[in-house]
Amino acid sequence: QVHLVESGGGLVQPGGSLRLSCAASGSIFKINAMGWYRQVPGKERELVAQISTGGSTKYTDSVKGRFTISIDNGRYTVYLQMNNLKPEDTALYYCNANLRRLYAFADSELFGQGTQVTVSS
């Protein structure tokens, strides 16, 4: 079993900051990449940011310059620092991991349960 546990969501005013964390635990052989997706009701889940264990990153255009993703490979933990938050950033944020379980023959894609981010005055 592998688990992703997210933390750090909440309510913040426009222009404010939040930091999301996600820790992977369990029977992990290796992690290839971790990231964050978000979803609002009635819309598809979208990739916000992703980082490989080698440090390569990608961001959706709407968060470039405001959000920063980082990873602690030793702790299997990914962070998302979100600055200058806007009301349109309001969503349920899901942690994602692309990894290989112990004794598995193929990689797996996992999602956490989600943490709510609400940007409102």
Side-chain angles (χ1 to χ4, degrees):
Q1 285 276 26
V2 177
H3 302 280
L4 300 179
V5 179
E6 302 128 326
S7 61
L11 172 65
V12 64
Q13 293 186 342
S17 298
L18 282 174
R19 189 190 195 210
L20 305 183
S21 301
C22 172
S25 63
S27 302
I28 300 170
F29 175 67
K30 64 168 183 153
I31 289 183
N32 301 311
M34 297 185 76
W36 293 92
Y37 285 70
R38 66 186 179 187
Q39 189 171 24
V40 297
K43 292 191 176 181
E44 290 188 0
R45 192 176 296 186
E46 67 164 347
L47 175 66
V48 177
Q50 187 178 63
I51 185 167
S52 71
T53 50
S56 297
T57 59
K58 61 179 176 181
Y59 297 90
T60 191
D61 286 346
S62 63
V63 308
K64 287 179 180 176
R66 300 189 297 121
F67 291 10
T68 302
I69 191 168
S70 59
I71 191 167
D72 183 335
N73 290 321
R75 296 176 184 267
Y76 293 152
T77 299
V78 64
Y79 305 95
L80 186 67
Q81 178 65 42
M82 305 185 293
N83 297 329
N84 191 21
L85 282 159
K86 302 177 180 181
E88 52 264 41
D89 295 317
T90 297
L92 190 59
Y93 283 70
Y94 295 91
C95 177
N96 167 262
N98 181 284
L99 55 82
R100 179 74 60 91
R101 291 183 170 93
L102 283 173
Y103 313 119
F105 294 102
D107 295 338
S108 301
E109 199 82 22
L110 295 182
F111 285 92
Q113 295 201 334
T115 184
Q116 179 68 35
V117 172
T118 302
V119 185
S120 174
S121 54

